[in-house]
Amino acid sequence: MTNAPDFSLETELEATVGWDEPDDAGDLVSGYADDADPESDPEADAEADPTSGALELAERHALRRIASLRTELEDITEVEYRQLRLERVVLVGVWAGGAQSDAENSLAELALLAETAGSEVLEAVYQRRQAPDPATYIGRGKVEAIKEIVQATGADTVIADGELAPSQLRNLEDRLGVKVVDRTALILDIFAQHAKSREGQAQVELAQLNYMKQRLRGWGGNLSRQAGGRVAGGAGIGGRGPGETKIETDRRRINTKIAKLNRDLREMKSTRDTKRASRRRHKIPAVAIAGYTNAGKSSLLNRLTDAGVLVEDALFATLDPTTRRTTTSDGRVYTMSDTVGFVRHLPHQLVEAFRSTLEEVADADLIVHVVDGSHPDPEGQLSAVREVFAEIGAADVPELVMVNKTDLADPLVVQRLLRTEPHAVAVSARTGAGIEEALGAVEADLPRPSVEVAVLLPYERGDLVNRMHQHGEIDHLEHTGEGTVIRGRANGDLAGELAPYSLR
């Protein structure tokens, strides 16, 4: 016998009366009423068609590394999905000359590069020396100090703020007992993560192989020669002899891969050259946005042309160049291209591999040089970028300096830059401040048509009127009974087509 109430079928049926009748909308309560829809996004609702840059940024953030886990996985059940673990690094630099602030700025930039690559920076040290030690980069005593720091912090990687010779790399790894990488390898790793286009990935792989070819290593049997005869498994005639070492085989394979990548890049370069030749043939001016990495070049391109490219507060966030067609306030057509960012001591391998891309800067009619006004050393950024300009043959291209991030920068620093740079404007790509002035400066620096024209175009030649709007400058336009009177300037090819209708 239990204490449960007596069951009555009629009572239970009466309790279900009205279940099928809908309640007022305001009284409807569900399990999700108090929680936001996990699939909804206010920004996505406001913009039904997200840009390609927004989609790429969402994809990149979805693959963030786990900061709380170590490099080697003890238990795969610690993570729900297979993800890379954060490396714990110690930064090491050598201060060989210049002011102390230069060494500190260089190490701060190296820390940002390491974090962009997916590392956790534990410690940063630098040493004052006349020149890096040829054996260990930092000297024997400093190696022991770094080893103590590595053991105390539990770091698994040491990053050197410079390019290490193969012998320096090997000696440091042997003495520290952890992986050692240099600034060049770190930048190449970031490029490998961020390259999206087929050309960009090929360029990064080419740079990595050129870097790796000089740093091949092997241990124990990996360096022994491939024996011939019976030792080689009975290869017999043609299989005997000393053969190649393993390292020689690896180097030969790398050289073969480099040759293939060079062929592929030559084919891609021909495609790029064809597009560039088409713009030259139609006399379309080209503007290249260049500057230090994370100075805001992509944000500025989005603000000036509504390009919708990826924007992220990270070094080398975008590598693949983006070109957009836009018009001036008076209707002239020109192109604006975003290029790869530069950095101090940009690896030579990257300059060579990305030379076809950097030609966009050298062949431009105007360079918009973007500098981060909020950076601790904006003059150093300007100098580093101009060194690359000289290396790629763009030193003589007209330059317009845009001091970006004025909403974050010290006004005194912005004024100092505007005084020291003969041709500069101050803007904020985030807030839009100064954008109108910047557009006016760009339009004023674009090459102008050189041939003066005064024509009477019949109304059936509306195509020529349209081309004058797009590629020429119109000072006077009047519609008459005989046709359209236009006075202005045009390029040589267009002026030749207008010559039969000249009023002179």
Side-chain angles (χ1 to χ4, degrees):
M1 181 68 95
T2 65
N3 295 326
D6 296 336
F7 175 79
S8 173
L9 179 60
E10 294 181 358
T11 304
E12 296 298 329
L13 290 176
E14 289 177 359
T16 63
V17 174
W19 281 16
D20 295 332
E21 298 176 2
D23 296 332
D24 293 337
D27 298 332
L28 181 62
V29 178
S30 71
Y32 295 99
D34 297 330
D35 299 328
D37 183 0
E39 297 295 330
S40 67
D41 184 358
E43 294 182 6
D45 294 338
E47 183 179 0
D49 187 15
T51 62
S52 59
L55 294 174
E56 185 177 347
L57 183 62
E59 178 185 357
R60 183 174 295 180
H61 284 175
L63 297 176
R64 285 298 182 199
R65 302 186 181 188
I66 304 175
S68 60
L69 301 181
R70 300 191 53 173
T71 301
E72 295 184 0
L73 199 61
E74 292 87 3
D75 184 3
I76 193 64
T77 61
E78 293 180 10
V79 291
E80 183 177 0
Y81 300 103
R82 183 177 180 86
Q83 300 190 40
L84 295 177
R85 294 191 167 199
L86 209 64
E87 289 186 84
R88 297 159 60 86
V89 303
V90 173
L91 309 181
V92 179
V94 171
W95 175 20
Q100 182 177 355
S101 59
D102 295 335
E104 293 173 351
N105 289 336
S106 183
L107 269 186
E109 182 177 272
L110 186 67
L112 290 176
L113 287 169
E115 291 172 358
T116 302
S119 302
E120 179 186 1
V121 178
L122 303 178
E123 193 73 43
V125 296
Y126 62 89
Q127 180 187 30
R128 179 63 187 262
R129 297 178 60 93
Q130 292 184 350
D133 183 74
T136 59
Y137 181 69
I138 52 177
R140 183 184 305 173
K142 204 66 174 179
V143 169
E144 296 301 322
I146 298 298
K147 185 174 182 179
E148 293 178 1
I149 294 175
V150 168
Q151 293 174 347
T153 59
D156 48 36
T157 304
V158 171
I159 302 179
D161 189 19
E163 184 168 344
L164 299 178
S167 59
Q168 293 173 326
L169 190 67
R170 182 173 60 253
N171 291 336
L172 282 175
E173 286 188 342
D174 291 342
R175 299 186 186 188
L176 295 177
V178 295
K179 182 174 66 174
V180 178
V181 297
D182 58 13
R183 185 186 184 95
T184 300
L186 179 61
I187 294 176
L188 289 173
D189 181 75
I190 297 172
F191 272 56
Q193 291 181 37
H194 292 176
K196 296 297 181 183
S197 69
R198 179 169 171 258
E199 182 178 11
Q201 291 174 346
Q203 289 168 328
V204 173
E205 185 178 1
L206 177 62
Q208 288 178 317
L209 290 175
N210 281 318
Y211 173 83
M212 186 191 309
K213 183 172 66 173
Q214 306 301 325
R215 291 165 175 80
L216 291 177
R217 309 182 48 178
W219 291 268
N222 285 342
L223 290 179
S224 64
R225 292 191 175 273
Q226 299 172 359
R230 294 179 181 177
V231 183
I237 298 175
R240 300 180 179 88
E244 292 179 302
T245 61
K246 179 67 166 57
I247 198 169
E248 288 172 345
T249 304
D250 291 342
R251 186 172 289 118
R252 176 165 50 81
R253 290 175 177 172
I254 288 177
N255 287 331
T256 302
K257 183 64 174 177
I258 288 175
K260 180 181 183 302
L261 288 172
N262 281 324
R263 289 194 302 269
D264 294 341
L265 287 172
R266 280 195 295 269
E267 295 177 1
M268 300 176 197
K269 181 177 182 297
S270 63
T271 303
R272 186 181 296 277
D273 290 341
T274 300
K275 296 178 181 179
R276 193 179 301 143
S278 176
R279 293 196 294 268
R280 288 201 197 101
R281 185 170 61 254
H282 293 92
K283 305 296 182 183
I284 299 177
V287 177
I289 301 178
Y292 213 79
T293 180
N294 204 30
K297 299 182 298 300
S298 298
S299 299
L300 198 59
L301 180 68
N302 288 343
R303 178 69 70 170
L304 296 175
T305 66
D306 296 326
V309 298
L310 180 143
V311 173
E312 185 181 9
D313 185 14
L315 304 185
F316 300 114
T318 52
L319 301 181
D320 302 315
T322 301
T323 301
R324 290 294 181 267
R325 186 184 181 101
T326 186
T327 57
T328 63
S329 56
D330 58 359
R332 285 182 295 153
V333 176
Y334 67 99
T335 62
M336 187 169 286
S337 302
D338 180 21
T339 59
V340 62
F342 303 139
V343 72
R344 288 182 180 87
H345 313 301
L346 189 67
H348 178 71
Q349 295 92 340
L350 281 176
V351 176
E352 288 300 318
F354 278 76
R355 185 166 294 277
S356 61
T357 300
L358 295 176
E359 286 176 359
E360 295 283 350
V361 179
D363 291 342
D365 296 295
L366 173 67
I367 295 176
V368 174
H369 186 168
V370 184
V371 59
D372 182 359
S374 64
H375 191 271
D377 184 22
E379 288 86 359
Q381 287 192 351
L382 288 168
S383 177
V385 172
R386 284 169 178 160
E387 288 180 5
V388 182
F389 285 170
E391 188 173 353
I392 62 177
D396 297 330
V397 179
E399 179 184 9
L400 170 63
V401 176
M402 286 194 184
V403 184
N404 193 22
K405 303 185 182 180
T406 55
D407 55 313
L408 303 176
D410 185 347
L412 295 178
V413 175
V414 175
Q415 291 301 320
R416 185 183 73 215
L417 291 172
L418 294 178
R419 285 195 307 269
T420 55
E421 292 298 326
H423 189 36
V425 293
V427 299
S428 172
R430 188 176 70 173
T431 65
I435 293 298
E436 293 298 327
E437 181 185 356
L439 279 172
V442 170
E443 294 178 10
D445 288 347
L446 289 176
R448 311 182 77 84
S450 56
V451 182
E452 293 189 1
V453 294
V455 294
L456 174 62
L457 296 176
Y459 286 117
E460 60 268 17
R461 294 309 308 267
D463 59 320
L464 291 178
V465 177
N466 181 57
R467 290 180 60 187
M468 273 297 296
H469 279 289
Q470 290 186 340
H471 307 300
E473 288 187 6
I474 298 177
D475 297 330
H476 174 76
L477 187 147
E478 181 183 358
H479 297 289
T480 67
E482 293 79 15
T484 304
V485 177
I486 295 180
R487 300 181 188 275
R489 285 166 296 280
N491 293 311
D493 294 344
L494 181 55
E497 295 186 46
L498 295 172
Y501 308 100
S502 177
L503 293 174
R504 299 170 183 173

